[in-house]
Amino acid sequence: MKNLRILLLSGGMGKRLWPLSNSVRSKQFLKLLQREQGEYESMIQRVCRQLDDAGLLSSAYIITSESQVDMIYNQIDNDIPVICEPRQRGTFPSIALACAYLRSNDHISVNETICVLPVDSYVDPPFFEQLQSIPGILQKSQAELALIGAVPQFPSEQFGYIVPKPAQKEEMDYLTIDQFIEKPNSDTARMLIERNALWNCGVFGFSMNFMLDYLKNMGFPTSYSRLLKSYDHLPGISFDYQVAEKNSRSIVIPCTGQWKDLGSWEALSGQWASSILGKGSLSEDSRNTQIVNELSIPIHAISISNSIIAASPDGILVADKQKSNSIKQLAEIARPMCEEKRWGTYKVLDFTSTNEGMQSLTKLLKINPGENISYQTHQFRQETWTVIAGEGEFIIDGRLIFIKAGEVLQIPVGTRHAVKAITPLDIIEVQWGEKLMEEDINRIADSWKDIVKHSKKERERWSLSFAVQCARTIWKTCLKTMKTRFGRKKN
Protein backbone atom coordinates (compact mmCIF):
# COMPACT_ATOMS: atom_id res chain seq x y z
CA MET A 1 0.00 0.00 0.00
CA LYS A 2 1.81 3.10 -1.28
CA ASN A 3 0.39 5.68 1.15
CA LEU A 4 1.07 3.56 4.23
CA ARG A 5 4.44 2.59 5.67
CA ILE A 6 4.62 0.13 8.57
CA LEU A 7 7.33 0.28 11.22
CA LEU A 8 7.66 -2.95 13.18
CA LEU A 9 9.18 -2.35 16.61
CA SER A 10 11.50 -5.16 17.70
CA GLY A 11 13.25 -4.69 21.03
CA GLY A 12 13.08 -5.48 24.71
CA MET A 13 15.05 -7.67 27.08
CA GLY A 14 12.53 -10.52 27.41
CA LYS A 15 12.74 -10.95 31.17
CA ARG A 16 9.13 -12.04 31.66
CA LEU A 17 9.68 -15.16 29.53
CA TRP A 18 13.00 -16.15 31.09
CA PRO A 19 14.75 -18.57 30.72
CA LEU A 20 13.79 -18.99 27.06
CA SER A 21 14.15 -15.26 26.44
CA ASN A 22 17.23 -13.26 27.37
CA SER A 23 19.03 -10.00 26.59
CA VAL A 24 19.37 -11.00 22.92
CA ARG A 25 16.56 -13.48 22.24
CA SER A 26 13.41 -11.53 23.16
CA LYS A 27 9.94 -13.07 23.24
CA GLN A 28 9.22 -12.31 19.56
CA PHE A 29 11.90 -14.80 18.49
CA LEU A 30 10.62 -17.81 20.47
CA LYS A 31 9.20 -20.43 18.10
CA LEU A 32 6.29 -21.47 20.29
CA LEU A 33 3.22 -20.69 18.14
CA GLN A 34 1.88 -23.64 16.17
CA ARG A 35 0.55 -23.18 12.65
CA GLU A 36 -2.22 -25.23 11.04
CA GLN A 37 0.39 -27.35 9.25
CA GLY A 38 1.90 -28.33 12.60
CA GLU A 39 5.24 -26.51 12.44
CA TYR A 40 6.10 -23.82 14.98
CA GLU A 41 6.80 -20.16 14.28
CA SER A 42 7.82 -17.13 16.31
CA MET A 43 5.82 -13.94 16.84
CA ILE A 44 7.95 -12.03 14.35
CA GLN A 45 7.49 -14.77 11.75
CA ARG A 46 3.74 -14.77 12.39
CA VAL A 47 3.24 -11.01 12.03
CA CYS A 48 5.39 -10.90 8.87
CA ARG A 49 3.39 -13.77 7.39
CA GLN A 50 0.14 -11.97 8.20
CA LEU A 51 1.41 -8.73 6.69
CA ASP A 52 2.34 -10.65 3.56
CA ASP A 53 -1.14 -12.20 3.36
CA ALA A 54 -2.64 -8.70 3.68
CA GLY A 55 -0.38 -7.33 0.93
CA LEU A 56 1.44 -5.02 3.35
CA LEU A 57 4.83 -6.69 3.80
CA SER A 58 6.44 -4.72 0.96
CA SER A 59 5.60 -1.54 2.91
CA ALA A 60 7.14 -2.80 6.17
CA TYR A 61 10.40 -1.94 7.92
CA ILE A 62 11.83 -3.39 11.13
CA ILE A 63 13.36 -1.18 13.83
CA THR A 64 15.79 -3.03 16.06
CA SER A 65 19.14 -2.90 17.85
CA GLU A 66 22.41 -4.27 16.48
CA SER A 67 22.26 -7.29 18.80
CA GLN A 68 19.04 -8.56 17.17
CA VAL A 69 19.90 -8.12 13.48
CA ASP A 70 21.37 -11.60 12.99
CA MET A 71 18.42 -13.25 14.74
CA ILE A 72 15.93 -11.31 12.61
CA TYR A 73 17.59 -12.40 9.37
CA ASN A 74 17.78 -15.96 10.68
CA GLN A 75 13.98 -16.02 10.92
CA ILE A 76 12.59 -13.79 8.16
CA ASP A 77 13.18 -12.78 4.56
CA ASN A 78 16.29 -10.69 3.97
CA ASP A 79 14.24 -8.42 1.69
CA ILE A 80 12.54 -6.69 4.64
CA PRO A 81 14.56 -3.53 5.37
CA VAL A 82 16.01 -3.30 8.88
CA ILE A 83 16.65 0.08 10.50
CA CYS A 84 19.20 -0.26 13.28
CA GLU A 85 19.22 2.06 16.28
CA PRO A 86 22.66 2.61 17.87
CA ARG A 87 21.37 1.83 21.36
CA GLN A 88 18.06 0.87 22.96
CA ARG A 89 16.74 4.10 24.45
CA GLY A 90 12.94 3.81 24.22
CA THR A 91 10.35 3.78 21.46
CA PHE A 92 10.33 7.54 20.86
CA PRO A 93 14.00 7.77 19.73
CA SER A 94 13.70 4.63 17.61
CA ILE A 95 10.51 5.81 15.86
CA ALA A 96 11.99 9.29 15.28
CA LEU A 97 15.16 7.80 13.78
CA ALA A 98 13.16 5.44 11.56
CA CYS A 99 11.04 8.29 10.20
CA ALA A 100 14.17 10.31 9.42
CA TYR A 101 15.57 7.24 7.63
CA LEU A 102 12.43 6.84 5.50
CA ARG A 103 12.45 10.51 4.55
CA SER A 104 16.20 10.85 3.87
CA ASN A 105 17.11 7.44 2.43
CA ASP A 106 13.87 6.23 0.80
CA HIS A 107 12.52 9.73 0.03
CA ILE A 108 9.08 8.94 1.45
CA SER A 109 6.54 11.72 0.84
CA VAL A 110 5.68 13.95 3.81
CA ASN A 111 2.01 13.13 3.13
CA GLU A 112 2.38 9.38 3.61
CA THR A 113 1.00 7.72 6.73
CA ILE A 114 3.37 5.97 9.14
CA CYS A 115 1.93 3.11 11.18
CA VAL A 116 3.94 1.81 14.14
CA LEU A 117 3.21 -1.77 15.17
CA PRO A 118 4.89 -3.91 17.87
CA VAL A 119 6.43 -6.95 16.21
CA ASP A 120 5.04 -9.21 18.95
CA SER A 121 1.38 -8.28 18.35
CA TYR A 122 -0.83 -11.38 18.41
CA VAL A 123 -3.74 -10.45 16.16
CA ASP A 124 -6.00 -11.95 13.49
CA PRO A 125 -6.45 -10.87 9.81
CA PRO A 126 -9.19 -8.22 10.40
CA PHE A 127 -6.64 -6.26 12.44
CA PHE A 128 -4.60 -5.60 9.30
CA GLU A 129 -7.68 -4.36 7.47
CA GLN A 130 -7.95 -1.72 10.19
CA LEU A 131 -4.31 -0.74 9.64
CA GLN A 132 -5.14 0.02 6.02
CA SER A 133 -8.03 2.24 7.10
CA ILE A 134 -5.84 4.51 9.26
CA PRO A 135 -4.85 6.99 6.48
CA GLY A 136 -8.50 7.57 5.61
CA ILE A 137 -9.60 7.90 9.22
CA LEU A 138 -6.83 10.40 9.95
CA GLN A 139 -7.94 12.49 6.99
CA LYS A 140 -11.64 12.27 7.89
CA SER A 141 -11.12 13.09 11.58
CA GLN A 142 -8.44 15.76 10.97
CA ALA A 143 -6.56 14.16 13.88
CA GLU A 144 -2.76 14.24 14.15
CA LEU A 145 -2.41 10.87 15.83
CA ALA A 146 -4.45 7.64 15.70
CA LEU A 147 -4.14 4.70 18.08
CA ILE A 148 -5.80 1.29 18.11
CA GLY A 149 -7.43 0.10 21.33
CA ALA A 150 -8.73 -3.37 22.24
CA VAL A 151 -11.89 -3.98 24.25
CA PRO A 152 -10.69 -5.22 27.69
CA GLN A 153 -11.46 -8.85 28.49
CA PHE A 154 -10.77 -8.41 32.20
CA PRO A 155 -9.40 -5.70 34.56
CA SER A 156 -5.66 -6.11 33.92
CA GLU A 157 -2.82 -4.35 35.71
CA GLN A 158 -0.41 -5.15 32.85
CA PHE A 159 -1.81 -2.83 30.17
CA GLY A 160 -2.19 0.86 29.57
CA TYR A 161 -5.74 2.18 29.09
CA ILE A 162 -7.11 4.73 26.63
CA VAL A 163 -10.15 6.58 27.97
CA PRO A 164 -12.39 8.11 25.27
CA LYS A 165 -14.36 11.29 25.78
CA PRO A 166 -17.94 10.60 26.94
CA ALA A 167 -21.14 10.88 24.88
CA GLN A 168 -19.69 9.97 21.47
CA LYS A 169 -21.75 8.39 18.69
CA GLU A 170 -21.56 4.61 18.68
CA GLU A 171 -21.59 4.36 14.87
CA MET A 172 -18.30 6.28 14.58
CA ASP A 173 -15.28 4.20 13.52
CA TYR A 174 -13.08 6.26 15.85
CA LEU A 175 -13.32 8.01 19.23
CA THR A 176 -11.61 11.17 20.47
CA ILE A 177 -9.35 10.56 23.47
CA ASP A 178 -9.88 12.04 26.91
CA GLN A 179 -6.85 10.61 28.76
CA PHE A 180 -4.31 7.79 29.09
CA ILE A 181 -3.90 5.69 32.23
CA GLU A 182 -0.76 3.55 32.46
CA LYS A 183 -1.04 0.14 34.20
CA PRO A 184 -3.60 0.93 36.94
CA ASN A 185 -4.42 -1.36 39.87
CA SER A 186 -7.36 -3.78 39.54
CA ASP A 187 -9.93 -1.50 41.18
CA THR A 188 -9.01 1.44 38.95
CA ALA A 189 -9.02 -0.86 35.91
CA ARG A 190 -12.62 -1.93 36.69
CA MET A 191 -13.66 1.71 36.95
CA LEU A 192 -11.96 2.50 33.62
CA ILE A 193 -13.73 -0.37 31.88
CA GLU A 194 -17.06 1.06 33.10
CA ARG A 195 -16.03 4.29 31.33
CA ASN A 196 -15.57 2.31 28.07
CA ALA A 197 -11.77 2.51 28.28
CA LEU A 198 -9.74 0.41 25.82
CA TRP A 199 -6.47 -1.43 26.21
CA ASN A 200 -3.62 0.41 24.50
CA CYS A 201 -2.34 -1.91 21.73
CA GLY A 202 0.82 0.14 21.19
CA VAL A 203 -0.17 0.94 17.59
CA PHE A 204 0.28 4.52 16.35
CA GLY A 205 -0.66 6.14 13.05
CA PHE A 206 0.46 9.63 11.93
CA SER A 207 1.65 11.45 8.85
CA MET A 208 5.34 11.70 8.04
CA ASN A 209 4.94 15.49 8.17
CA PHE A 210 3.65 15.27 11.75
CA MET A 211 6.81 13.52 12.95
CA LEU A 212 9.16 15.78 11.03
CA ASP A 213 7.47 18.89 12.45
CA TYR A 214 7.64 17.39 15.93
CA LEU A 215 11.41 16.94 15.65
CA LYS A 216 11.87 20.45 14.23
CA ASN A 217 9.87 21.96 17.13
CA MET A 218 12.15 20.11 19.57
CA GLY A 219 15.20 21.56 17.85
CA PHE A 220 16.39 18.27 16.31
CA PRO A 221 17.47 17.69 12.70
CA THR A 222 15.23 15.68 10.39
CA SER A 223 17.94 14.25 8.15
CA TYR A 224 18.88 10.69 9.04
CA SER A 225 22.66 11.20 9.14
CA ARG A 226 22.43 14.25 11.40
CA LEU A 227 19.79 12.76 13.69
CA LEU A 228 21.91 9.62 14.05
CA LYS A 229 24.74 11.79 15.41
CA SER A 230 22.29 13.44 17.84
CA TYR A 231 20.66 10.14 18.87
CA ASP A 232 21.89 10.19 22.46
CA HIS A 233 20.35 13.65 22.95
CA LEU A 234 16.83 12.49 22.05
CA PRO A 235 14.61 11.89 25.10
CA GLY A 236 15.09 8.25 26.12
CA ILE A 237 11.39 7.68 26.68
CA SER A 238 8.42 5.83 25.19
CA PHE A 239 6.40 7.27 22.31
CA ASP A 240 3.32 7.11 24.57
CA TYR A 241 4.82 9.42 27.19
CA GLN A 242 6.64 11.76 24.81
CA VAL A 243 3.99 12.19 22.11
CA ALA A 244 0.66 10.41 22.53
CA GLU A 245 -0.22 11.51 26.06
CA LYS A 246 0.61 15.15 25.28
CA ASN A 247 -1.26 15.38 22.00
CA SER A 248 -4.68 17.07 22.08
CA ARG A 249 -5.67 15.99 18.56
CA SER A 250 -5.56 12.22 18.92
CA ILE A 251 -8.15 9.53 18.31
CA VAL A 252 -8.52 5.82 19.11
CA ILE A 253 -9.86 3.20 16.72
CA PRO A 254 -11.59 0.32 18.56
CA CYS A 255 -10.09 -3.00 17.48
CA THR A 256 -12.67 -5.17 15.71
CA GLY A 257 -10.54 -8.33 15.58
CA GLN A 258 -8.60 -10.41 18.06
CA TRP A 259 -5.74 -8.77 19.98
CA LYS A 260 -3.70 -10.46 22.69
CA ASP A 261 -0.55 -9.63 24.58
CA LEU A 262 1.59 -12.75 24.91
CA GLY A 263 4.16 -11.18 27.18
CA SER A 264 3.67 -13.59 30.09
CA TRP A 265 3.97 -17.34 30.50
CA GLU A 266 0.29 -17.52 31.46
CA ALA A 267 -0.85 -15.82 28.25
CA LEU A 268 1.67 -17.53 25.95
CA SER A 269 1.03 -21.05 27.23
CA GLY A 270 -2.68 -20.52 26.57
CA GLN A 271 -1.91 -20.57 22.82
CA TRP A 272 -0.16 -23.95 22.83
CA ALA A 273 -1.86 -26.93 21.26
CA SER A 274 0.22 -29.31 23.38
CA SER A 275 1.04 -29.33 27.08
CA ILE A 276 4.61 -30.48 26.42
CA LEU A 277 7.11 -28.88 24.04
CA GLY A 278 10.37 -30.79 24.12
CA LYS A 279 11.37 -33.83 26.19
CA GLY A 280 9.24 -34.55 29.25
CA SER A 281 6.01 -35.87 30.69
CA LEU A 282 3.09 -34.79 32.91
CA SER A 283 1.16 -37.05 35.25
CA GLU A 284 -2.58 -37.36 34.61
CA ASP A 285 -3.43 -35.41 37.78
CA SER A 286 -1.35 -32.38 36.69
CA ARG A 287 -3.93 -29.80 35.63
CA ASN A 288 -3.36 -26.63 33.59
CA THR A 289 0.41 -27.16 33.57
CA GLN A 290 2.72 -26.85 30.58
CA ILE A 291 6.33 -27.85 30.01
CA VAL A 292 8.60 -26.20 27.44
CA ASN A 293 12.04 -27.78 27.43
CA GLU A 294 14.97 -26.79 25.19
CA LEU A 295 17.41 -29.10 26.98
CA SER A 296 18.43 -32.57 25.79
CA ILE A 297 17.45 -34.13 29.14
CA PRO A 298 13.77 -34.83 30.00
CA ILE A 299 11.60 -33.08 32.58
CA HIS A 300 8.97 -35.15 34.40
CA ALA A 301 6.29 -33.38 36.47
CA ILE A 302 4.05 -35.24 38.92
CA SER A 303 0.92 -33.79 40.57
CA ILE A 304 1.75 -30.18 39.66
CA SER A 305 -1.13 -27.92 38.63
CA ASN A 306 -1.56 -24.36 37.31
CA SER A 307 2.16 -24.09 36.64
CA ILE A 308 4.69 -23.38 33.93
CA ILE A 309 7.94 -25.34 33.74
CA ALA A 310 10.45 -23.83 31.31
CA ALA A 311 14.04 -24.92 30.74
CA SER A 312 16.82 -23.67 28.46
CA PRO A 313 20.63 -23.44 28.62
CA ASP A 314 20.10 -20.13 30.48
CA GLY A 315 18.26 -21.75 33.40
CA ILE A 316 15.10 -23.45 34.67
CA LEU A 317 11.84 -21.85 35.82
CA VAL A 318 9.12 -23.56 37.87
CA ALA A 319 6.33 -21.12 38.69
CA ASP A 320 2.65 -20.67 39.38
CA LYS A 321 1.27 -19.27 36.12
CA GLN A 322 -0.50 -16.32 37.73
CA LYS A 323 2.68 -15.28 39.53
CA SER A 324 5.23 -16.10 36.83
CA ASN A 325 5.72 -12.40 35.98
CA SER A 326 7.72 -12.08 39.21
CA ILE A 327 10.65 -13.60 37.32
CA LYS A 328 11.15 -10.14 35.77
CA GLN A 329 12.57 -8.94 39.10
CA LEU A 330 14.55 -12.14 39.78
CA ALA A 331 16.16 -13.00 36.45
CA GLU A 332 19.79 -11.95 36.20
CA ILE A 333 21.09 -10.22 33.08
CA ALA A 334 23.81 -12.70 32.21
CA ARG A 335 25.62 -13.74 29.07
CA PRO A 336 23.14 -15.62 26.81
CA MET A 337 23.89 -19.34 26.72
CA CYS A 338 22.27 -19.78 23.32
CA GLU A 339 21.71 -17.44 20.40
CA GLU A 340 20.38 -17.44 16.85
CA LYS A 341 22.69 -15.94 14.27
CA ARG A 342 22.28 -15.13 10.58
CA TRP A 343 24.13 -18.36 9.74
CA GLY A 344 22.50 -20.69 12.29
CA THR A 345 22.69 -21.09 16.08
CA TYR A 346 25.19 -21.58 18.87
CA LYS A 347 24.87 -23.00 22.37
CA VAL A 348 27.37 -22.53 25.20
CA LEU A 349 28.33 -25.94 26.63
CA ASP A 350 30.91 -24.93 29.24
CA PHE A 351 32.76 -21.94 30.65
CA THR A 352 35.71 -22.18 33.05
CA SER A 353 38.41 -19.90 34.48
CA THR A 354 41.85 -20.98 35.68
CA ASN A 355 43.81 -19.67 38.66
CA GLU A 356 46.29 -18.18 36.18
CA GLY A 357 43.64 -15.80 34.81
CA MET A 358 42.94 -17.74 31.60
CA GLN A 359 39.44 -18.60 30.38
CA SER A 360 37.98 -21.45 28.36
CA LEU A 361 34.62 -21.34 26.57
CA THR A 362 33.10 -24.30 24.71
CA LYS A 363 30.30 -23.84 22.16
CA LEU A 364 28.30 -26.00 19.81
CA LEU A 365 27.93 -24.20 16.46
CA LYS A 366 25.17 -25.33 14.07
CA ILE A 367 25.61 -23.76 10.63
CA ASN A 368 22.78 -24.03 8.11
CA PRO A 369 23.51 -25.36 4.58
CA GLY A 370 24.67 -22.60 2.25
CA GLU A 371 25.31 -20.19 5.12
CA ASN A 372 28.68 -18.97 6.36
CA ILE A 373 30.41 -17.31 9.29
CA SER A 374 32.14 -14.07 8.33
CA TYR A 375 35.86 -13.79 7.52
CA GLN A 376 37.22 -12.56 10.85
CA THR A 377 40.05 -12.41 13.36
CA HIS A 378 40.22 -12.39 17.16
CA GLN A 379 42.58 -10.24 19.19
CA PHE A 380 42.34 -11.96 22.56
CA ARG A 381 41.63 -15.62 21.91
CA GLN A 382 42.73 -18.70 20.04
CA GLU A 383 40.21 -21.30 18.92
CA THR A 384 40.10 -25.04 18.25
CA TRP A 385 37.30 -26.30 16.02
CA THR A 386 36.29 -29.97 15.93
CA VAL A 387 33.90 -30.87 13.11
CA ILE A 388 31.41 -33.40 14.49
CA ALA A 389 28.89 -33.54 11.63
CA GLY A 390 28.51 -32.37 8.05
CA GLU A 391 30.76 -30.98 5.34
CA GLY A 392 31.93 -27.49 4.49
CA GLU A 393 34.59 -25.14 3.19
CA PHE A 394 37.10 -23.52 5.52
CA ILE A 395 39.32 -20.54 4.72
CA ILE A 396 42.31 -19.73 6.93
CA ASP A 397 44.67 -16.89 6.03
CA GLY A 398 43.53 -17.02 2.40
CA ARG A 399 43.83 -20.82 1.98
CA LEU A 400 40.62 -22.70 1.06
CA ILE A 401 40.25 -26.30 2.26
CA PHE A 402 37.41 -28.85 2.34
CA ILE A 403 36.39 -30.03 5.83
CA LYS A 404 34.28 -32.94 7.08
CA ALA A 405 33.34 -34.70 10.32
CA GLY A 406 36.29 -35.78 12.44
CA GLU A 407 38.69 -33.00 11.45
CA VAL A 408 40.29 -30.62 13.97
CA LEU A 409 41.15 -27.04 12.99
CA GLN A 410 43.57 -24.80 14.92
CA ILE A 411 42.98 -21.02 14.75
CA PRO A 412 45.75 -19.00 16.49
CA VAL A 413 45.20 -15.46 17.78
CA GLY A 414 44.94 -12.94 14.92
CA THR A 415 44.42 -15.58 12.23
CA ARG A 416 41.93 -14.77 9.47
CA HIS A 417 39.29 -17.49 9.15
CA ALA A 418 35.80 -18.27 7.86
CA VAL A 419 33.64 -21.34 7.25
CA LYS A 420 30.71 -22.20 4.97
CA ALA A 421 28.38 -25.17 5.37
CA ILE A 422 27.77 -27.40 2.36
CA THR A 423 25.52 -29.72 4.39
CA PRO A 424 24.27 -29.00 7.95
CA LEU A 425 27.57 -28.40 9.75
CA ASP A 426 28.09 -28.98 13.48
CA ILE A 427 31.31 -27.73 15.08
CA ILE A 428 32.53 -27.86 18.67
CA GLU A 429 34.40 -24.58 19.24
CA VAL A 430 36.79 -24.24 22.17
CA GLN A 431 37.98 -20.69 22.87
CA TRP A 432 41.06 -20.04 25.03
CA GLY A 433 42.41 -16.70 26.20
CA GLU A 434 42.57 -14.00 28.85
CA LYS A 435 39.41 -12.21 27.68
CA LEU A 436 36.58 -14.16 26.06
CA MET A 437 33.79 -11.95 24.77
CA GLU A 438 31.48 -11.84 21.76
CA GLU A 439 32.75 -8.36 20.90
CA ASP A 440 36.25 -9.73 20.17
CA ILE A 441 35.53 -10.03 16.45
CA ASN A 442 37.17 -8.04 13.67
CA ARG A 443 35.05 -8.73 10.57
CA ILE A 444 36.88 -8.50 7.25
CA ALA A 445 34.11 -9.69 4.90
CA ASP A 446 30.59 -11.08 5.37
CA SER A 447 29.32 -12.75 2.19
CA TRP A 448 31.09 -15.90 0.95
CA LYS A 449 31.57 -14.29 -2.46
CA ASP A 450 33.44 -11.38 -0.87
CA ILE A 451 35.37 -13.75 1.40
CA VAL A 452 36.58 -15.87 -1.53
CA LYS A 453 37.51 -12.72 -3.48
CA HIS A 454 39.40 -11.36 -0.46
CA SER A 455 41.24 -14.64 0.15
CA LYS A 456 42.19 -14.84 -3.54
CA LYS A 457 43.84 -11.42 -3.30
CA GLU A 458 45.64 -12.59 -0.15
CA ARG A 459 46.97 -15.66 -2.00
CA GLU A 460 48.09 -13.49 -4.90
CA ARG A 461 49.89 -11.13 -2.52
CA TRP A 462 51.42 -14.10 -0.73
CA SER A 463 52.52 -15.68 -4.04
CA LEU A 464 54.06 -12.39 -5.20
CA SER A 465 55.77 -11.97 -1.86
CA PHE A 466 57.02 -15.56 -2.02
CA ALA A 467 58.26 -15.07 -5.60
CA VAL A 468 60.10 -11.87 -4.60
CA GLN A 469 61.62 -13.65 -1.61
CA CYS A 470 62.73 -16.55 -3.82
CA ALA A 471 64.23 -14.13 -6.37
CA ARG A 472 66.13 -12.37 -3.59
CA THR A 473 67.42 -15.69 -2.27
CA ILE A 474 68.52 -16.80 -5.75
CA TRP A 475 70.19 -13.43 -6.38
CA LYS A 476 72.04 -13.58 -3.08
CA THR A 477 73.17 -17.14 -3.85
CA CYS A 478 74.39 -16.09 -7.32
CA LEU A 479 76.33 -13.16 -5.87
CA LYS A 480 77.90 -15.39 -3.26
CA THR A 481 78.87 -17.96 -5.95
CA MET A 482 80.32 -15.28 -8.23
CA LYS A 483 82.37 -13.78 -5.38
CA THR A 484 83.70 -17.21 -4.49
CA ARG A 485 84.71 -18.05 -8.08
CA PHE A 486 86.25 -14.67 -8.90
CA GLY A 487 88.03 -14.72 -5.62
CA ARG A 488 89.65 -18.07 -6.40
CA LYS A 489 90.80 -16.92 -9.88
CA LYS A 490 92.33 -13.77 -8.46
CA ASN A 491 94.37 -15.79 -6.02
Side-chain angles (χ1 to χ4, degrees):
M1 192 171 183
K2 291 184 178 180
N3 63 335
L4 179 66
R5 303 287 171 161
I6 296 173
L7 299 178
L8 295 170
L9 291 176
S10 177
M13 299 292 286
K15 287 185 178 181
R16 285 193 292 169
L17 295 179
W18 186 92
L20 266 66
S21 61
N22 52 44
S23 59
V24 175
R25 186 173 66 160
S26 299
K27 64 179 179 179
Q28 64 265 27
F29 301 114
L30 303 179
K31 296 180 181 179
L32 299 176
L33 303 176
Q34 192 170 18
R35 296 186 61 183
E36 293 179 359
Q37 297 87 342
E39 70 269 23
Y40 286 87
E41 65 182 353
S42 65
M43 297 180 197
I44 190 172
Q45 289 174 324
R46 186 178 192 271
V47 75
C48 287
R49 174 174 58 81
Q50 290 176 312
L51 285 168
D52 195 24
D53 292 341
L56 293 172
L57 191 60
S58 61
S59 300
Y61 299 75
I62 296 177
I63 311 172
T64 190
S65 60
E66 185 66 37
S67 62
Q68 290 187 356
V69 172
D70 274 1
M71 194 169 298
I72 286 172
Y73 282 132
N74 182 279
Q75 294 199 3
I76 65 168
D77 196 326
N78 288 7
D79 292 336
I80 303 176
V82 172
I83 303 171
C84 220
E85 56 179 331
R87 284 158 292 283
Q88 291 181 340
R89 302 191 61 247
T91 55
F92 171 71
S94 60
I95 292 171
L97 186 67
C99 289
Y101 177 93
L102 295 184
R103 180 61 180 156
S104 299
N105 292 30
D106 285 7
H107 309 292
I108 301 302
S109 168
V110 295
N111 297 318
E112 288 203 35
T113 300
I114 307 299
C115 182
V116 180
L117 175 68
V119 77
D120 54 6
S121 294
Y122 189 85
V123 294
D124 56 10
F127 185 89
F128 297 97
E129 294 177 11
Q130 281 196 306
L131 290 186
Q132 297 181 65
S133 72
I134 288 178
I137 292 177
L138 280 172
Q139 185 176 11
K140 180 173 65 175
S141 65
Q142 293 299 296
E144 292 182 331
L145 183 66
L147 294 89
I148 290 183
V151 177
Q153 303 301 308
F154 52 89
S156 173
E157 300 180 2
Q158 301 299 319
F159 305 136
Y161 288 74
I162 303 172
V163 184
K165 290 181 179 179
Q168 299 189 62
K169 295 179 181 180
E170 293 184 0
E171 64 269 17
M172 295 286 287
D173 50 9
Y174 66 88
L175 301 168
T176 55
I177 297 174
D178 184 33
Q179 66 179 133
F180 294 83
I181 305 293
E182 183 65 21
K183 297 183 179 179
N185 58 40
S186 296
D187 291 337
T188 304
R190 290 189 185 91
M191 180 189 68
L192 292 172
I193 292 174
E194 292 175 359
R195 294 174 57 189
N196 297 318
L198 302 168
W199 281 339
N200 189 345
C201 298
V203 178
F204 309 100
F206 49 85
S207 71
M208 172 66 80
N209 199 44
F210 168 78
M211 195 65 212
L212 297 179
D213 284 345
Y214 195 95
L215 286 171
K216 289 176 184 176
N217 292 335
M218 291 183 68
F220 286 100
T222 57
S223 76
Y224 174 70
S225 59
R226 292 179 60 198
L227 189 61
L228 189 62
K229 294 177 182 178
S230 305
Y231 193 75
D232 288 338
H233 299 291
L234 287 166
I237 195 171
S238 71
F239 191 87
D240 294 83
Y241 287 146
Q242 181 64 34
V243 181
E245 295 187 10
K246 299 176 183 178
N247 187 275
S248 58
R249 295 175 57 191
S250 56
I251 59 172
V252 59
I253 304 170
C255 179
T256 55
Q258 175 185 237
W259 178 87
K260 292 182 181 180
D261 178 80
L262 301 184
S264 68
W265 280 118
E266 182 177 20
L268 182 59
S269 62
Q271 303 302 314
W272 298 347
S274 173
S275 296
I276 302 171
L277 280 70
K279 291 185 177 180
S281 67
L282 283 167
S283 62
E284 291 184 0
D285 59 345
S286 294
R287 309 296 181 194
N288 190 32
T289 291
Q290 276 91 14
I291 294 174
V292 53
N293 183 13
E294 290 188 333
L295 303 177
S296 58
I297 55 176
I299 295 175
H300 301 293
I302 300 173
S303 299
I304 295 179
S305 298
N306 305 313
S307 300
I308 180 70
I309 302 171
S312 83
D314 282 356
I316 298 173
L317 171 70
V318 181
D320 181 292
K321 282 187 179 181
Q322 293 185 348
K323 298 180 179 179
S324 62
N325 279 349
S326 299
I327 192 62
K328 189 173 183 179
Q329 285 75 42
L330 299 175
E332 296 181 3
I333 301 176
R335 176 179 186 150
M337 300 297 284
C338 58
E339 190 175 339
E340 289 184 39
K341 307 294 284 186
R342 194 183 303 234
W343 43 262
T345 62
Y346 79 74
K347 181 187 297 183
V348 175
L349 304 178
D350 183 63
F351 177 75
T352 57
S353 298
T354 68
N355 294 331
E356 292 77 24
M358 301 297 287
Q359 297 178 333
S360 174
L361 180 70
T362 304
K363 289 181 178 180
L364 170 61
L365 311 181
K366 287 184 169 291
I367 308 171
N368 298 326
E371 300 295 333
N372 69 273
I373 294 178
S374 64
Y375 199 36
Q376 58 187 247
T377 63
H378 307 298
Q379 183 179 354
F380 300 108
R381 68 177 186 251
Q382 64 182 37
E383 295 179 348
T384 301
W385 288 5
T386 303
V387 184
I388 60 174
E391 298 176 344
E393 294 176 315
F394 179 66
I395 294 179
I396 182 165
D397 278 344
R399 292 179 292 116
L400 175 65
I401 60 175
F402 175 80
I403 58 173
K404 61 183 185 302
E407 297 190 358
V408 178
L409 309 168
Q410 299 291 343
I411 306 170
V413 175
T415 302
R416 299 178 297 278
H417 62 284
V419 64
K420 178 183 179 180
I422 298 174
T423 63
L425 190 62
D426 293 358
I427 296 174
I428 297 293
E429 174 186 283
V430 179
Q431 302 177 7
W432 175 261
E434 294 183 3
K435 290 191 289 186
L436 302 182
M437 51 188 178
E438 286 300 308
E439 296 76 17
D440 181 21
I441 298 177
N442 174 35
R443 288 186 174 86
I444 302 167
D446 287 319
S447 72
W448 194 251
K449 181 180 179 181
D450 290 340
I451 292 171
V452 171
K453 186 185 300 183
H454 200 283
S455 63
K456 182 180 179 181
K457 290 180 180 178
E458 287 180 343
R459 289 196 304 272
E460 290 173 351
R461 287 197 298 267
W462 182 85
S463 298
L464 179 61
S465 176
F466 181 74
V468 171
Q469 186 64 38
C470 288
R472 286 175 178 172
T473 302
I474 293 171
W475 177 245
K476 288 180 180 179
T477 303
C478 290
L479 285 177
K480 186 177 180 181
T481 303
M482 290 172 66
K483 287 180 179 180
T484 302
R485 289 180 178 176
F486 286 132
R488 285 178 179 172
K489 288 182 178 181
K490 187 176 181 179
N491 292 334

